[in-house]
Amino acid sequence: MKNAFATIIIRTFNEAKHLARLLDGILEQDNKNYEIIIVDSGSTDNTLEIAKRYPVRILNIQPEIFSFGRSLNVGCKNAEGEYLIFVSAHTYPFDRKWLDNLLLPFTDPKIAMVYGRQIGNHLTKLAEERDFKASFGDKSRILVEEPIGNNANAAIRKSLWIKVPFDEKLTGLEDIDWAHKVQKQGYYVYYRSDAVIFHIHEESFRQIYNRFKREALAYKNIFPDYHFNAKRSFLSYLSMVLKDVFFGIINKKSLNKIFSVFAYRLVEYKGLYDGFQYAGRLTAKLTDELYFLLKNRSIVFVGPKQHRIEEKMIPDLKDDEILIGVKYVGVCSTDLDVLSGELSYYRSGWAKYPIVPGHEFSGEVIRLGRNANSLNVGDKVVGECILGCGICDQCKKWQPINCSDRKEVGVLNFNGAYSKYLKMPARFAHKLPKGTDLLSACLVEPLAVSLRGINKLTKGDEKGNRQVAVVGFGTIGNLCAQLMSLLGHAVTVFDSNKSRIENIADINLLGITEISGLARFDYIIEATGNTKVLKQILSESRTSAKILILGLPYSPMEFNFGSIVCFDKTVIGSVGSGKEDFIQALNMFNMLNMKGLTQNIFSLENYEIAWKKQMNGEIAKAILKIGDE
């Protein structure tokens, strides 16, 4: 069968740990007459990045419509080979003859499926090692009526698949179902003992339970007359444990391995029993739990000055939403204002705890709602903070800031990006230009905020070189200073933090630690949120000065606004950003120097250290790294 062209189909979901070893093993095969197709169902780790290093075709299937049979059918439909090879992503070939040996039995036209031997390695649990020994013997054989097959290491004829595709409604055992159907048509299944792979399962107890529950649900559908009651489950459990223990003793396994069989078999038979007894409809939620055991690790503000790390299941998606695997999130002073309870939203009761903070983020799309057609899985994105309802007149004008029912990511009644996964309406996400660095990209949101404020400040004014003061050289002040300099203005930066002033990278910016001489500036941008500073600016600014207030939050203050009127000053407030601001920010992003704001990276677990260093002024900007790139 060396001249027969084959397609190797690999189903993946978070298989970064073992995929490279499998692909290397395939490329080392003596038989080179094949193609490789990977069918991915929403991996959130580095699976796809690893796959792209190899000569493979990558197909994507949405997790919401995933089944083992459907993912195989997608691969088979796109396959060009005469024979279809299925191999699990957490396996690797034993030797260079694996592919040849798997294909050889097809010289007999009555052979419909060939499945090969599976063995474990040092990571394999004792109970599973014995299962491999019992299920995959040393001798090859032809199965005429026994409906056995295993798509972790198998091959079928494409011509037969066209007539008998895999059942997409089954929760597992699609291989056994297929074998059963073709055997009824007079074809045979061949077990090839020398087509060997190592099969590595590194599963939690929950994953083991899910695997056997899925298989029981499927078996009940394939063979409806089969019954599995509590007595049978208990007796089977005892029998398997005794056999495992004897196997462990004979093979001189460690006591830890031997004792592990009690828990493994308990979870296995609990899964089997629950699967066989389940009589309800297979809901989307149950299917998601059985297939994709994703946990969402988040920092949660549970109340004023109360925070902790929590793990919960990933959030369900609405039709218009996407799920983003967060890569980086910037620490904003607003996050800490939310924690303190001092933000006006929380003082007024409009916003409520608990909430996951974080609105300055970058990430990658890993799942799509049914109607989220503007993006694709794998797109690198950033997202807006202010989310309008999408229905009111203001939202229809793309002015979500004016929506009375708005939410704000990580701030106002919408969980944010201090989290492994973030869901949001697709219309508020923006695809990053190709080649954009995800680390720097988490600053697109504060850049959009800065642009919105500057556009309001300079609206209606003739272009020209003006004297600009930026008070406060945090993230917003830094970006505003760079933007105003880019527009051709002479910019002076004021910040009491000497290290910030010393680290100004732009030679066109003048840095001063003491606020003075405000009367010489045409534009003043207040970016500290400090009431005393704001009062000084309002008092000392010159006639006809234009003052942009971007800092938050301000405590109540007494001030005679008659001086604003009498001296013809203009005071402009600005908060947040919208779609057009984000588009402008993405277009200008590469014109700015983000290096000074992206030097201090912390893990999610070290979030308190990041807060402390930023609050104390030790660093210009703290960024939390959430996921791998």
Side-chain angles (χ1 to χ4, degrees):
M1 301 301 293
K2 288 187 177 180
N3 294 324
F5 186 61
T7 299
I8 300 173
I9 299 171
I10 306 168
R11 295 175 294 196
T12 58
F13 176 72
N14 288 350
E15 302 285 0
K17 187 169 184 180
H18 301 289
L19 183 60
R21 189 168 189 176
L22 168 61
L23 294 173
D24 286 336
I26 292 173
L27 294 178
E28 291 169 0
Q29 292 297 297
D30 289 342
N31 188 334
K32 305 294 184 184
N33 200 20
Y34 59 80
E35 64 169 348
I36 304 173
I37 291 177
I38 286 179
V39 184
D40 188 78
S41 51
S43 290
T44 58
D45 61 2
N46 286 341
T47 294
L48 294 180
E49 285 77 5
I50 292 169
K52 290 172 183 175
R53 301 173 197 160
Y54 291 84
V56 304
R57 274 195 287 154
I58 300 174
L59 306 175
N60 295 296
I61 183 171
Q62 293 183 14
E64 289 78 10
I65 62 171
F66 172 86
S67 71
F68 291 108
R70 180 171 288 121
S71 62
L72 284 181
N73 285 340
V74 168
C76 295
K77 183 179 179 181
N78 288 274
E80 297 178 2
E82 181 182 354
Y83 299 96
L84 307 173
I85 314 293
F86 309 122
V87 61
S88 171
H90 41 273
T91 67
Y92 57 96
F94 177 78
D95 57 25
R96 298 171 61 172
K97 297 290 184 182
W98 162 72
L99 186 54
D100 275 337
N101 292 339
L102 197 62
L103 290 171
L104 190 59
F106 286 115
T107 52
D108 182 346
K110 296 294 287 183
I111 299 299
M113 170 188 273
V114 180
Y115 72 98
R117 188 178 178 188
Q118 299 177 38
I119 59 177
N121 66 7
H122 67 284
L123 297 172
T124 304
K125 296 178 176 65
L126 177 61
E128 193 165 32
E129 183 180 345
R130 195 182 69 77
D131 285 344
F132 285 153
K133 292 274 188 182
S135 301
F136 307 102
D138 297 332
K139 294 183 179 180
S140 300
R141 60 196 178 105
I142 295 177
L143 292 78
V144 178
E145 294 182 345
E146 297 172 81
I148 299 176
N150 195 302
N151 279 341
N153 179 22
I156 65 172
R157 296 180 186 272
K158 185 173 182 181
S159 58
L160 276 178
W161 171 82
I162 292 171
K163 299 175 183 177
V164 187
F166 291 105
D167 190 333
E168 298 185 357
K169 294 181 181 179
L170 292 174
T171 54
L173 304 186
E174 74 292 336
D175 37 22
I176 288 177
D177 176 68
W178 196 87
H180 184 51
K181 288 174 179 175
V182 296
Q183 283 172 331
K184 285 183 176 181
Q185 296 182 20
Y187 291 94
Y188 307 146
V189 174
Y190 195 109
Y191 168 61
R192 184 81 187 191
S193 63
D194 57 359
V196 188
I197 61 164
F198 289 99
H199 194 159
I200 306 130
H201 273 139
E202 295 182 85
E203 299 172 304
S204 66
F205 284 130
R206 180 68 187 185
Q207 289 170 316
I208 295 168
Y209 170 85
N210 282 353
R211 174 157 60 95
F212 286 105
K213 184 174 181 178
R214 288 194 308 261
E215 292 182 358
L217 286 165
Y219 200 89
K220 187 169 65 170
N221 277 280
I222 300 168
F223 305 105
D225 295 332
Y226 181 83
H227 297 288
F228 192 80
N229 55 29
K231 181 179 178 181
R232 187 169 190 170
S233 176
F234 178 70
L235 292 176
S236 297
Y237 168 75
L238 288 180
S239 174
M240 295 298 275
V241 166
L242 289 173
K243 291 177 181 178
D244 291 339
V245 171
F246 182 73
F247 176 81
I249 293 172
I250 291 297
N251 289 279
K252 298 180 180 180
K253 301 294 183 180
S254 69
L255 286 177
N256 283 341
K257 278 215 165 190
I258 292 173
F259 283 124
S260 71
V261 304
F262 293 92
Y264 181 96
R265 294 300 184 189
L266 181 64
V267 173
E268 173 188 351
Y269 280 94
K270 171 64 174 170
L272 289 171
Y273 179 79
D274 288 350
F276 277 112
Q277 304 309 309
Y278 185 80
R281 185 172 63 87
L282 192 63
T283 64
K285 183 174 179 60
L286 175 61
T287 302
D288 194 59
E289 290 176 0
L290 290 175
Y291 289 137
F292 307 105
L293 193 63
L294 287 180
K295 287 290 186 70
N296 198 20
R297 187 172 176 82
S298 310
I299 298 168
V300 182
F301 293 168
V302 293
K305 300 179 182 179
Q306 300 176 56
H307 53 86
R308 61 176 178 241
I309 293 180
E310 292 184 358
E311 281 195 354
K312 294 183 178 180
M313 296 302 292
I314 60 170
D316 294 328
L317 290 186
K318 296 178 181 177
D319 287 350
D320 67 335
E321 291 181 329
I322 59 173
L323 188 67
I324 299 169
V326 179
K327 302 299 183 183
Y328 295 97
V329 58
V331 174
C332 177
S333 58
T334 303
D335 304 341
L336 304 178
D337 295 333
V338 172
L339 177 60
S340 70
E342 291 300 312
L343 203 64
S344 58
Y345 293 156
Y346 289 82
R347 291 203 305 266
S348 67
W350 186 9
K352 299 185 183 301
Y353 300 102
I355 189 169
V356 177
H359 56 277
E360 302 176 1
F361 68 89
S362 62
E364 186 173 306
V365 177
I366 61 169
R367 292 191 184 180
L368 298 168
R370 296 181 188 277
N371 299 329
N373 301 318
S374 59
L375 294 163
N376 296 307
V377 171
D379 284 348
K380 295 179 179 180
V381 295
V382 291
E384 297 175 33
C385 175
I386 299 173
L387 314 180
C389 68
I391 300 172
C392 69
D393 290 340
Q394 293 298 325
C395 284
K396 289 177 181 178
K397 297 176 184 176
W398 280 102
Q399 294 293 332
I401 188 67
N402 298 324
C403 174
S404 59
D405 194 33
R406 76 175 187 270
K407 295 178 172 62
E408 297 180 18
V409 177
V411 179
L412 176 62
N413 302 330
F414 195 96
N415 284 333
Y418 278 40
S419 187
K420 191 171 183 180
Y421 304 109
L422 166 69
K423 73 165 189 171
M424 68 185 307
R427 66 183 183 276
F428 294 110
H430 297 264
K431 183 177 177 179
L432 292 171
K434 190 174 182 180
T436 304
D437 172 41
L438 278 172
L439 171 57
S440 299
C442 71
L443 298 173
V444 169
E445 192 277 339
L447 177 58
V449 170
S450 302
L451 280 166
R452 177 183 173 85
I454 286 173
N455 288 337
K456 293 172 73 173
L457 176 68
T458 60
K459 186 178 180 180
D461 292 345
E462 293 182 4
K463 291 183 179 180
N465 186 349
R466 288 179 170 78
Q467 292 293 321
V468 179
V470 176
V471 185
F473 201 61
T475 304
I476 294 294
N478 185 318
L479 296 173
C480 283
Q482 289 194 64
L483 287 169
M484 294 303 274
S485 178
L486 197 63
L487 291 172
H489 301 298
V491 181
T492 301
V493 174
F494 295 96
D495 196 300
S496 59
N497 188 321
K498 188 177 179 180
S499 64
R500 285 183 179 177
I501 295 298
E502 290 175 346
N503 289 325
I504 291 177
D506 191 333
I507 60 173
N508 294 317
L509 303 181
L510 174 64
I512 300 176
T513 55
E514 296 284 341
I515 301 175
S516 60
L518 293 176
R520 63 189 175 90
F521 295 105
D522 305 295
Y523 296 141
I524 302 176
I525 300 174
E526 203 300 299
T528 67
N530 184 294
T531 300
K532 183 179 178 181
V533 171
L534 174 60
K535 197 169 183 178
Q536 182 179 358
I537 291 171
L538 294 175
S539 300
E540 297 180 11
S541 52
R542 70 166 178 78
T543 301
S544 300
K546 296 182 75 172
I547 302 163
L548 172 63
I549 303 176
L550 285 176
L552 278 174
Y554 292 94
S555 57
M557 71 175 190
E558 290 185 5
F559 184 77
N560 180 7
F561 279 89
S563 63
I564 302 296
V565 177
C566 293
F567 292 101
D568 196 29
K569 299 178 184 181
T570 302
V571 178
I572 300 165
S574 184
V575 67
S577 56
K579 179 180 180 181
E580 295 302 322
D581 306 310
F582 261 77
I583 293 172
Q584 187 181 5
L586 288 169
N587 288 333
M588 297 187 68
F589 186 74
N590 291 326
M591 301 179 189
L592 304 182
N593 183 354
M594 300 296 185
K595 189 174 181 180
L597 298 172
T598 56
Q599 294 178 338
N600 299 285
I601 316 300
F602 300 84
S603 68
L604 183 71
E605 289 72 19
N606 288 328
Y607 68 97
E608 289 186 85
I609 297 173
W611 290 350
K612 184 177 180 181
K613 286 183 175 292
Q614 185 162 313
M615 289 172 65
N616 292 343
E618 297 175 46
I619 57 177
K621 181 73 172 179
I623 293 176
L624 302 181
K625 184 178 182 181
I626 309 296
D628 296 327
E629 285 194 70

